Coordinates of all heavy atoms in Angstrom, one line a residue:
A21 N 78.5 111.2 147.7 CA 79.4 112.3 147.8 C 79.0 113.2 148.9 O 79.8 113.8 149.7 CB 79.5 113.0 146.5
R22 N 77.7 113.5 149.0 CA 77.2 114.4 150.1 C 77.5 113.8 151.5 O 77.9 114.6 152.4 CB 75.7 114.6 149.9 CG 75.4 115.6 148.8 CD 73.9 115.7 148.6 NE 73.4 116.7 147.7 CZ 73.1 117.9 148.1 NH1 73.1 118.2 149.4 NH2 72.7 118.8 147.2
M23 N 77.3 112.5 151.6 CA 77.5 111.9 152.9 C 79.0 112.0 153.3 O 79.3 112.2 154.5 CB 77.1 110.4 152.9 CG 75.5 110.2 152.9 SD 74.9 110.7 154.6 CE 75.4 109.4 155.6
G24 N 79.9 111.8 152.3 CA 81.3 111.9 152.6 C 81.7 113.3 153.0 O 82.6 113.5 153.8
A25 N 81.1 114.3 152.4 CA 81.5 115.7 152.6 C 80.8 116.3 153.9 O 81.4 117.1 154.6 CB 81.1 116.6 151.4
A26 N 79.5 116.0 154.1 CA 78.8 116.6 155.3 C 77.7 115.6 155.7 O 76.6 115.8 155.4 CB 78.2 117.9 154.8
E27 N 78.1 114.7 156.5 CA 77.2 113.6 156.9 C 76.0 114.0 157.7 O 74.9 113.7 157.4 CB 78.0 112.5 157.8 CG 77.2 111.3 158.0 CD 78.1 110.3 158.8 OE1 78.3 110.5 160.0 OE2 78.5 109.3 158.1
E28 N 76.2 114.8 158.7 CA 75.1 115.2 159.6 C 74.1 116.1 158.8 O 72.9 116.0 158.9 CB 75.6 116.0 160.8 CG 76.3 115.1 161.8 CD 76.7 115.8 163.1 OE1 76.3 117.0 163.2 OE2 77.4 115.1 163.9
A29 N 74.6 117.1 158.0 CA 73.8 117.9 157.2 C 73.0 117.1 156.2 O 71.8 117.4 156.0 CB 74.6 119.0 156.5
T30 N 73.6 116.1 155.6 CA 72.9 115.3 154.6 C 71.8 114.5 155.2 O 70.7 114.3 154.6 CB 73.9 114.4 153.9 OG1 74.9 115.2 153.3 CG2 73.3 113.5 152.8
L31 N 72.1 114.0 156.4 CA 71.0 113.2 157.1 C 69.8 114.1 157.5 O 68.7 113.6 157.5 CB 71.6 112.5 158.3 CG 72.6 111.4 158.1 CD1 73.2 110.9 159.4 CD2 71.9 110.2 157.3
A32 N 70.1 115.3 157.8 CA 69.0 116.2 158.2 C 68.2 116.5 156.9 O 66.9 116.5 157.0 CB 69.6 117.5 158.7
H33 N 68.9 116.7 155.8 CA 68.1 116.9 154.5 C 67.4 115.7 154.1 O 66.3 115.8 153.5 CB 69.1 117.4 153.4 CG 69.5 118.8 153.5 ND1 70.9 119.1 153.7 CD2 68.9 119.9 153.5 CE1 71.0 120.4 153.8 NE2 69.8 121.0 153.6
L34 N 68.0 114.5 154.4 CA 67.3 113.2 154.1 C 66.0 113.1 154.9 O 65.0 112.6 154.3 CB 68.2 112.1 154.4 CG 67.7 110.7 154.2 CD1 67.3 110.5 152.7 CD2 68.7 109.6 154.6
A35 N 66.0 113.5 156.1 CA 64.8 113.4 156.9 C 63.7 114.3 156.3 O 62.5 113.9 156.3 CB 65.1 113.8 158.4
Q36 N 64.0 115.5 155.8 CA 63.1 116.4 155.2 C 62.5 115.7 153.9 O 61.3 115.8 153.6 CB 63.7 117.7 154.9 CG 64.2 118.5 156.1 CD 64.9 119.8 155.8 OE1 65.4 119.9 154.7 NE2 65.0 120.7 156.7
L37 N 63.4 115.2 153.1 CA 63.0 114.6 151.9 C 62.0 113.4 152.1 O 61.0 113.2 151.4 CB 64.2 114.1 151.1 CG 64.0 113.5 149.7 CD1 65.2 113.8 148.8 CD2 63.8 112.0 149.8
R38 N 62.4 112.6 153.1 CA 61.5 111.4 153.4 C 60.1 111.9 153.8 O 59.1 111.3 153.5 CB 62.1 110.6 154.5 CG 63.3 109.7 154.1 CD 63.9 109.0 155.3 NE 64.8 108.0 154.8 CZ 65.7 107.3 155.6 NH1 65.7 107.6 156.9 NH2 66.5 106.4 155.2
E39 N 60.0 113.0 154.6 CA 58.7 113.5 155.0 C 57.9 113.9 153.8 O 56.7 113.6 153.8 CB 58.9 114.7 156.0 CG 57.7 115.2 156.7 CD 56.8 116.1 155.8 OE1 57.5 116.8 155.0 OE2 55.6 116.1 155.9
V40 N 58.5 114.6 152.9 CA 57.8 115.0 151.7 C 57.4 113.8 150.9 O 56.2 113.7 150.4 CB 58.7 115.9 150.8 CG1 58.1 116.2 149.4 CG2 59.0 117.2 151.5
L41 N 58.3 112.9 150.7 CA 57.9 111.7 149.9 C 56.8 110.9 150.5 O 55.8 110.5 149.9 CB 59.2 110.8 149.7 CG 59.1 109.7 148.7 CD1 58.9 110.3 147.3 CD2 60.4 108.9 148.7
E42 N 56.9 110.6 151.8 CA 55.9 109.8 152.5 C 54.5 110.5 152.5 O 53.5 109.9 152.3 CB 56.3 109.5 153.9 CG 57.5 108.6 154.0 CD 58.0 108.4 155.4 OE1 57.5 109.1 156.3 OE2 59.0 107.6 155.6
R43 N 54.5 111.8 152.7 CA 53.3 112.6 152.7 C 52.6 112.6 151.3 O 51.4 112.3 151.2 CB 53.5 114.0 153.1 CG 52.3 115.0 153.0 CD 52.6 116.3 153.8 NE 53.8 116.9 153.4 CZ 54.0 117.6 152.3 NH1 53.0 117.9 151.5 NH2 55.2 118.2 152.1
R44 N 53.4 112.9 150.3 CA 52.8 112.9 148.9 C 52.3 111.5 148.4 O 51.3 111.4 147.8 CB 53.8 113.5 148.0 CG 54.0 115.0 148.1 CD 52.8 115.8 148.0 NE 53.0 117.3 148.0 CZ 52.0 118.2 147.9 NH1 50.8 117.8 147.9 NH2 52.3 119.4 147.9
V45 N 53.1 110.5 148.8 CA 52.7 109.2 148.4 C 51.4 108.8 149.1 O 50.5 108.2 148.5 CB 53.8 108.2 148.7 CG1 53.3 106.7 148.5 CG2 55.0 108.4 147.7
G46 N 51.4 109.0 150.4 CA 50.2 108.7 151.2 C 48.9 109.4 150.9 O 47.8 108.9 151.0
E47 N 49.1 110.7 150.4 CA 47.9 111.5 150.1 C 47.1 110.9 149.0 O 45.9 111.1 148.9 CB 48.4 112.9 149.6 CG 48.8 113.8 150.8 CD 49.3 115.1 150.3 OE1 49.6 115.3 149.1 OE2 49.5 116.0 151.1
V48 N 47.7 110.1 148.1 CA 46.9 109.5 146.9 C 46.8 108.0 147.1 O 46.5 107.3 146.1 CB 47.6 109.9 145.6 CG1 47.6 111.4 145.3 CG2 49.1 109.4 145.6
G49 N 47.0 107.5 148.3 CA 46.7 106.1 148.5 C 47.9 105.2 148.2 O 47.7 103.9 148.1
G50 N 49.0 105.7 147.9 CA 50.2 104.8 147.6 C 50.9 104.4 148.9 O 50.5 104.8 150.0
R51 N 51.9 103.5 148.7 CA 52.7 103.1 149.9 C 54.1 102.9 149.4 O 54.4 102.4 148.3 CB 52.1 101.9 150.5 CG 52.4 100.6 149.7 CD 52.0 99.3 150.4 NE 52.3 98.1 149.6 CZ 53.3 97.3 149.9 NH1 54.1 97.5 151.0 NH2 53.6 96.2 149.1
I52 N 55.1 103.3 150.3 CA 56.5 103.0 150.1 C 56.8 101.6 150.6 O 56.6 101.4 151.8 CB 57.4 104.1 150.8 CG1 57.1 105.5 150.2 CG2 58.8 103.7 150.6 CD1 57.8 106.6 150.9
F53 N 57.2 100.7 149.7 CA 57.4 99.4 150.2 C 58.9 99.0 150.3 O 59.3 97.9 150.7 CB 56.7 98.4 149.3 CG 57.2 98.3 147.8 CD1 58.2 97.5 147.5 CD2 56.7 99.1 146.9 CE1 58.7 97.4 146.2 CE2 57.1 99.1 145.6 CZ 58.1 98.2 145.2
F54 N 59.8 99.9 149.9 CA 61.2 99.7 150.0 C 62.0 101.0 150.2 O 61.8 101.9 149.5 CB 61.7 99.0 148.7 CG 63.2 98.7 148.7 CD1 63.7 97.6 149.3 CD2 64.1 99.6 148.1 CE1 65.1 97.3 149.3 CE2 65.5 99.3 148.1 CZ 66.0 98.2 148.7
R55 N 62.9 100.9 151.2 CA 63.8 102.1 151.4 C 65.2 101.5 151.6 O 65.4 100.5 152.3 CB 63.4 102.8 152.7 CG 62.1 103.4 152.8 CD 61.8 104.1 154.1 NE 60.5 104.7 154.2 CZ 59.4 104.1 154.5 NH1 59.4 102.8 154.6 NH2 58.3 104.8 154.5
A56 N 66.2 102.2 151.0 CA 67.6 101.7 151.1 C 68.5 102.9 151.0 O 69.0 103.2 149.9 CB 67.9 100.7 150.0
G57 N 68.7 103.7 152.1 CA 69.6 104.8 152.1 C 69.1 105.9 151.2 O 68.2 106.7 151.6
D58 N 69.6 105.9 150.0 CA 69.2 107.0 149.0 C 68.2 106.5 148.0 O 67.9 107.3 147.1 CB 70.5 107.4 148.3 CG 71.1 106.3 147.5 OD1 70.9 105.1 147.8 OD2 71.9 106.6 146.5
G59 N 67.6 105.3 148.2 CA 66.7 104.9 147.2 C 65.3 104.5 147.8 O 65.2 104.1 149.0
F60 N 64.2 104.7 147.0 CA 62.9 104.4 147.5 C 62.1 103.8 146.4 O 62.3 104.1 145.2 CB 62.2 105.7 147.9 CG 62.9 106.5 148.9 CD1 63.9 107.4 148.5 CD2 62.6 106.4 150.2 CE1 64.5 108.2 149.4 CE2 63.3 107.2 151.2 CZ 64.3 108.1 150.8

């Protein structure tokens, strides 16, 4: 729904979310092994 309403703004927020997720996962030795748009 967010992508349909405001695509560019949602993608900018998605980049911020990915940075947080990758940093926190990496800090404790984890790894993200799958990404699919809105899922990790």
